[in-house]
Amino acid sequence: MRGERVRLVHLARARQGLYRLLGAVFLPPQVESAAVMRAAAGLLERDLQRVCSLSFVPVWREFLAVLERVPPTIDRYLALFAAPADAVPLCASRYAGADAASQAAVVAAVQDTYRRAGLRARAQEPDHLATELEFLSFLCGQEVEARVQRAPRAVRDALERQLGFLDEHLCLWLPLLAARLARREPHGLYAAAAAAAWAVAVHDRDLLALLIRRDSLGVCP
Amino acid sequence: MNRSEPVVLVLLCGDLVGHRLDPHTLARQVMADAPAVTARVVPGLCAHLHRVTSAVRAATPRALVLALCERWQAQGEPEGYARRAGLSPLAVQVVPLGTLAGNDPSPMAKARALLSGAVARARALPPLTPEHIRPVPLGRGGRVGRRALLTLPPLTYQPVPVVEHGRCAAAQGCRICVAACPHRALAAIDDVVRVRRDACTACGRCLTACPREAIQMPGWSQAETAAQVTAALTHAPHRPLVWQCDRRPPSGGAWLPVPVSCAGAVTVAMLLQPLLLGAPAVALAHCGDGCRSGTGMAGTVEDRVAFCRALLAAMGQSPERVRLARATEELPVVDLPPLSAPVTPPAAGEPEGTARLITELVSVTAAPPLRLEHAASPLGEAVVDPAACTLCGSCAATCPTGALEYGEDDAGLTLRFDPRRCVACGQCVPACPERERGAIRVHAVTDTTLLNGGTRTVVRDAIVRCRRCGGPVASQAMLRRIADLLGSAFRPEVMAERCADCRGLP
């Protein structure tokens, strides 16, 4: 189909921006957050135009439409994620089961992943959604760099690191978070953002697996 | 128009005129046949597929049906233009109306039935989540040059089955879907069925194999295909219907083609259901040796068709009402009257649907009671030997459909069997600790007398109760069996008179 030959470096750059922006949504909002997010989304739009037929794009656009209507507020954020009674947890470990050992194992695993990528999470909660999305953005950045430098081995490593992180961390609990937020505030900003993050992550996971197989086999799988 | 209803957009190519079809009349008909449908004729749509994008942007439908002149070679391409406008890939159907209806003696009637079916299918599309689809390359197998490695390959999307864990019986030991998958794309890990997305080819065999409808695969769900069949046969009640592998070139002639993800996903119930809706015959057309589901597919579908033919013969009906069309085989002209006036059949996917379907067929054909033992029988009979059964309840605990039910009432312990729910999976047999004594056997059999008899008690026994607290100790049969096994070591005052809860202690 015409126009579908997208350079993978552009796609990686778009994904880098998507993850960074989505990660920022799940941080406590500041006064200027909405304006900054809208501006960032505008910058991303050019790269996304090239890949508008990918299946996550409508969900992303739906999130942008909600962002236009419903700016993030600290009151809403606290009510959803910090209410003492029925807060929606934003940390992966809270979805790993009730026992402390399982939760600690999740935190340790994610910290180990950061360490292997040469990073150390300074955040109190290394398994927080914003941190995990920011980390994915970082991995996409590595892919962009490797593609710009035409370094196939580095590209392959970056793809595998992204796939591993999605498989072992984000894709395991993001659907649960998205479902909880959809129940709590079906038309809210955070539900739309979680739905967009889920759509991007699942699509990425499948696309990365496809690209890795294609690159290693030399044929379209 | 009620905006809460799913809106289906139908785009008809204006060049259908060249195939003896009037697209404007079809557009009017399809809008009259179902609510919340918008139909438009687009001049030269087949030659200018990019017009799909603007049409979808303007209408913002939930689903799209494209009525084109011929089958599109690159099947993902029409869908790609709809995706650009934000439509889910699973919400797009392409009906090659010119090829399918153009040569028919009544082309407009057939085209209307096909379009109505496609619209009904689109309306039945369940809610989608990101996990329901995955990108796959458009066109497979070609070598990739170095330059191509720098770009995104042209993509299309295929559905992926998603297991609804709340419904799944994997924790009870059910592995029917795992066994049904020819690609080992399903695996039970820690009693939870997981889908290996990269290995799945969306053949849908797990979907129809699951007796609890715990697997969702929008695009090919049984609810969607059932809606399509019902709508198509409503508008063309006396036409034969062919379940057709999506990879096979569409069948022409009088037959109404209904696409399926794989012929191996077509169940006995799906083969029989159209007969109750007025179709005089049903065919199953598979794609042949190049089948993505491997060599096992042909054997599976042949067995199912053979069962249906044997069932029809036992009913005194022509077995030719159900037939198999191998890879390149043409479907013959059917000269059979409908089995009966159309009746509303039970849904094919529901637990007792197959049993109700068969009893309904026997009823409308006024056939005598029948018993058909056949390896492909979708129903079964669990035969329990009361002399060997100890009423431990393991069989009922593992039964994925609830055909075996273990209970306790005032009179004692009971094991009940509902033949309408038994799918002859046989999972109860290895679960039985007394299987070597023949306590339980499962026959793949369709027996209408059994089906009409409903649930019956197959074993009943008294409960021995704790002398101190009155709590249950075990069934009498269980204690007899323990006594047999232990011989002189059996101590009734310890084992038969005290329950595990209080152990007879004050």
Side-chain angles (χ1 to χ4, degrees):
Chain A
M1 196 167 63
R2 278 173 296 171
E4 194 145 5
R5 286 283 168 175
V6 177
R7 288 177 68 82
L8 287 170
V9 65
H10 292 143
L11 180 61
R13 193 174 289 141
R15 291 169 38 239
Q16 181 185 14
L18 283 172
Y19 285 125
R20 173 157 292 175
L21 179 45
L22 285 167
V25 174
F26 288 98
L27 291 171
Q30 314 279 321
V31 177
E32 70 281 6
S33 288
V36 172
M37 285 176 200
R38 284 177 198 140
L43 292 173
L44 267 173
E45 190 54 30
R46 200 185 65 176
D47 279 332
L48 280 177
Q49 276 292 343
R50 298 188 172 110
V51 292
C52 64
S53 64
L54 298 186
S55 68
F56 67 80
V57 176
V59 192
W60 167 257
R61 294 207 198 285
E62 177 63 31
F63 157 66
L64 292 185
V66 178
L67 181 63
E68 283 295 323
R69 288 197 311 268
V70 190
T73 62
I74 191 70
D75 291 346
R76 191 72 204 123
Y77 186 90
L78 293 175
L80 268 177
F81 304 121
D86 58 345
V88 178
L90 281 174
C91 291
S93 52
R94 300 288 299 281
Y95 293 86
D99 60 309
S102 307
Q103 296 187 2
V106 169
V107 176
V110 78
Q111 277 178 325
D112 185 51
T113 310
Y114 297 157
R115 202 161 30 243
R116 277 187 278 121
L119 298 175
R120 187 161 57 89
R122 286 196 299 190
Q124 270 188 326
E125 295 167 323
D127 58 335
H128 191 281
L129 179 60
T131 314
E132 292 202 354
L133 289 170
E134 180 62 29
F135 178 65
L136 259 174
S137 176
F138 165 77
L139 294 180
C140 292
Q142 285 189 328
E143 184 194 337
V144 171
E145 208 170 303
R147 289 195 184 279
V148 168
Q149 292 175 354
R150 302 264 172 114
R153 183 68 230 174
V155 168
R156 173 84 188 262
D157 287 348
L159 294 180
E160 284 177 349
R161 271 200 290 271
Q162 290 172 61
L163 179 60
F165 190 72
L166 286 166
D167 262 345
E168 290 158 25
H169 297 286
L170 208 52
C171 285
L172 294 182
W173 68 283
L174 204 43
L176 306 173
L177 170 69
R180 282 187 74 163
L181 282 172
R183 277 198 302 274
R184 276 290 292 276
E185 49 151 42
H187 307 294
L189 173 70
Y190 293 104
W198 182 22
V200 176
V202 172
H203 190 279
D204 253 10
R205 189 244 154 260
D206 293 329
L207 185 62
L208 292 167
L210 190 156
L211 292 177
I212 290 169
R213 280 175 67 197
R214 183 189 73 163
D215 292 1
S216 61
L217 298 173
V219 294
C220 240
Chain B
M1 186 186 298
N2 180 2
R3 290 299 298 177
S4 65
E5 283 209 64
V7 179
V8 180
L9 174 65
V10 182
L11 296 178
L12 300 103
C13 177
D15 295 342
L16 285 168
V17 173
H19 295 269
R20 299 167 57 227
L21 295 167
D22 176 357
H24 293 280
T25 304
L26 282 170
R28 281 195 297 277
Q29 286 174 342
V30 82
M31 283 197 283
D33 288 343
V37 175
T38 306
R40 278 186 51 202
V41 178
V42 182
L45 179 62
C46 290
H48 305 283
L49 266 181
H50 60 275
R51 290 175 182 169
V52 169
T53 309
S54 52
V56 171
R57 279 202 183 116
T60 60
R62 183 171 179 261
L64 172 70
V65 175
L66 290 173
L68 303 181
C69 293
E70 287 167 10
R71 191 180 195 221
W72 208 254
Q73 288 305 311
Q75 286 193 41
E77 196 170 340
E79 161 228 299
Y81 287 107
R83 287 200 326 260
R84 284 170 170 251
L87 208 56
S88 167
L90 299 187
V92 183
Q93 288 178 69
V94 179
V95 186
L97 216 50
T99 311
L100 293 177
N103 297 326
D104 195 81
S106 314
M108 286 295 283
K110 185 172 181 184
R112 183 181 186 177
L114 290 171
L115 271 186
S116 296
V119 167
R121 186 184 192 123
R123 289 167 60 85
L125 181 72
L128 303 171
T129 72
E131 289 178 339
H132 282 130
I133 51 170
R134 76 179 180 104
V136 291
L138 183 60
R140 288 168 170 238
R143 284 197 66 79
V144 179
R146 285 178 62 194
R147 287 178 68 83
L149 289 175
L150 301 175
T151 58
L152 185 67
L155 297 174
T156 183
Y157 287 84
Q158 76 176 28
V160 181
V162 173
V163 180
E164 205 178 305
H165 297 296
R167 282 178 167 227
C168 177
Q172 292 165 246
C174 179
R175 300 289 183 270
I176 295 175
C177 58
V178 176
C181 178
H183 305 284
R184 298 184 183 174
L186 294 166
I189 301 165
D190 297 334
D191 280 346
V192 175
V193 173
R194 307 271 181 211
V195 182
R196 287 173 52 218
R197 297 169 64 85
D198 303 334
C200 177
T201 64
C203 70
R205 288 172 71 168
C206 55
L207 185 74
T208 53
C210 176
R212 292 167 70 121
E213 288 190 272
I215 299 180
Q216 312 297 324
M217 196 168 86
W220 295 115
S221 70
Q222 292 192 71
E224 288 166 82
T225 47
Q228 181 170 18
V229 168
T230 306
L233 287 173
T234 302
H235 290 96
H238 302 312
R239 281 182 184 266
L241 182 137
V242 52
W243 293 104
Q244 178 157 302
C245 169
D246 197 37
R247 295 198 166 188
R248 188 184 148 119
S251 303
W255 293 76
L256 278 179
V258 175
V260 284
S261 50
C262 170
V266 176
T267 60
V268 164
M270 289 165 77
L271 285 169
L272 295 174
Q273 193 187 45
L275 298 176
L276 283 178
L277 287 164
V282 181
L284 178 55
H286 67 70
C287 59
D289 293 337
C291 177
R292 64 183 156 184
S293 298
T295 50
M297 182 277 299
T300 305
V301 299
E302 278 169 18
D303 286 350
R304 287 178 187 162
V305 169
F307 170 79
C308 293
R309 292 170 70 93
L311 188 74
L312 286 166
M315 289 178 188
Q317 297 294 321
S318 167
E320 298 304 314
R321 288 189 186 277
V322 176
R323 65 178 69 231
L324 187 68
R326 290 175 183 81
T328 54
E329 202 174 318
E330 285 295 317
L331 288 163
V333 175
V334 173
D335 188 21
L336 289 165
L339 205 58
S340 69
V343 293
T344 306
E350 66 182 71
E352 298 162 26
T354 308
R356 285 176 53 204
L357 191 67
I358 289 173
T359 47
E360 188 72 43
L361 269 174
V362 170
S363 165
V364 298
T365 55
L370 60 90
R371 181 179 171 86
L372 178 62
E373 290 213 33
H374 195 287
S377 169
L379 300 170
E381 180 188 11
V383 181
V384 181
D385 178 1
C389 175
T390 58
L391 271 164
C392 68
S394 299
C395 55
T398 200
C399 177
T401 61
L404 284 163
E405 192 185 17
Y406 180 71
E408 182 185 334
D409 57 25
D410 293 340
L413 292 168
T414 56
L415 182 65
R416 291 162 66 77
F417 174 65
D418 183 351
R420 297 164 299 189
R421 285 177 167 260
C422 181
V423 294
C425 66
Q427 305 218 33
C428 49
V429 177
C432 175
E434 302 297 332
R435 59 185 174 279
E436 285 173 10
R437 296 168 65 218
I440 192 165
R441 286 167 291 126
V442 173
H443 302 298
V445 62
T446 298
D447 185 326
T448 54
T449 309
L450 273 180
L451 296 177
N452 289 327
T455 306
R456 65 180 200 280
T457 301
V458 287
V459 187
R460 177 186 288 279
D461 198 12
I463 308 176
V464 176
R465 296 197 173 271
C466 176
R467 280 178 62 183
R468 185 182 165 273
C469 72
V473 177
S475 68
Q476 283 184 341
M478 173 84 77
L479 291 175
R480 277 197 304 273
R481 177 69 178 140
I482 294 172
D484 284 349
L485 289 169
L486 294 182
S488 59
F490 182 69
R491 292 172 59 199
E493 73 281 7
V494 174
M495 298 171 185
E497 295 173 8
R498 299 170 189 176
C499 71
D501 289 338
C502 80
R503 296 174 188 272
L505 299 172

